[in-house]
Amino acid sequence: MTQTILHIDASARIQGSTSRDLTAQIIERLNADQVIRRDLTSPLPQLTEDWINANFTPANDRDAVQRDLLALSDQLVEEVKAADTLVIGVPIYNFAVPASLKAWIDLLARVGLTFHYTETGPEGLLKGKRAIIAVASGGTQVGSDIDFATGYLRHILGFLGITDVQFVAADAIMADAEAALKRARTAIEALAA
């Protein structure tokens, strides 16, 4: 069975990034047939009123300008749809996800494409996928009261239909880097390909 991974790195740091190092280790461990790469150091646009209006215009009624406004978002959605597994590198910045990752999520969460509303509430349309999130933080312990990143990511991915979410954490690195990295490596070794 072939496996496609969508590899997303959200760290602003290219060199010396713990989350980037962890995602590289995870990708190697999973040994996928195909890896789609999305590096969020290339900035994604923020949502605008024109983008929102284009998004809520029925697809058949969109003009060329609206289709162009949604083209990148369409591409991001297709990348996720093509993947069996998402591997996302997330540094915790100021207790939450980087703005670049939030921009990616905003462009991905589209009613009718990645979720829809039913009589019983919203339903995610990206089911059957796995997400492995490599988290790195200097002082924030994953799962603590000041971790506003991992709970948000689990929730938003679940909202989109991705409920198989695993975290590999190198957290509170400033307290004990060696122990934090050892825990993360152990978690990576335990990942099933």
Side-chain angles (χ1 to χ4, degrees):
M1 184 171 99
T2 61
Q3 179 181 330
T4 299
I5 290 176
L6 174 58
H7 177 187
I8 299 167
D9 276 319
S11 177
R13 294 175 65 187
I14 304 295
Q15 301 298 319
S17 165
T18 300
S19 64
R20 285 176 184 275
D21 185 50
L22 294 175
T23 60
Q25 292 177 48
I26 293 167
I27 297 294
E28 184 178 333
R29 170 78 178 145
L30 297 180
N31 193 28
D33 301 290
Q34 180 182 4
V35 177
I36 303 165
R37 180 111 170 86
R38 175 64 62 179
D39 190 330
L40 298 181
T41 56
S42 297
L44 295 174
Q46 299 293 314
L47 300 187
T48 64
E49 182 177 12
D50 289 340
W51 187 95
I52 290 171
N53 289 336
N55 185 47
F56 285 102
T57 299
N60 292 335
D61 296 337
R62 291 178 188 142
D63 61 29
V65 172
Q66 290 175 318
R67 287 191 300 275
D68 188 53
L69 280 171
L70 296 175
L72 175 60
S73 173
D74 291 340
Q75 180 182 350
L76 298 176
V77 169
E78 289 308 312
E79 288 173 356
V80 174
K81 286 182 175 181
D84 302 297
T85 301
L86 284 67
V87 175
I88 307 172
V90 182
I92 294 180
Y93 291 162
N94 302 312
F95 314 106
V97 300
S100 61
L101 185 59
K102 178 63 168 67
W104 177 79
I105 290 166
D106 286 344
L107 293 170
L108 181 66
R110 289 179 56 194
V111 69
L113 282 180
T114 57
F115 72 95
H116 66 186
Y117 292 103
T118 70
E119 291 177 1
T120 58
E123 178 183 11
L125 300 175
L126 300 175
K127 296 177 181 173
K129 299 180 184 303
R130 174 186 187 193
I132 302 170
I133 302 172
V135 179
S137 76
T140 302
Q141 187 175 12
V142 167
S144 69
D145 289 344
I146 60 171
D147 168 16
F148 299 101
T150 60
Y152 168 71
L153 289 169
R154 184 181 300 281
H155 176 79
I156 192 66
L157 290 170
F159 177 79
L160 299 175
I162 303 170
T163 57
D164 181 359
V165 179
Q166 297 171 273
F167 291 93
V168 170
D171 54 349
I173 290 173
M174 299 306 282
D176 188 345
E178 187 177 327
L181 294 172
K182 183 178 179 184
R183 285 191 308 271
R185 282 191 296 273
T186 300
I188 290 169
E189 288 169 9
L191 290 172

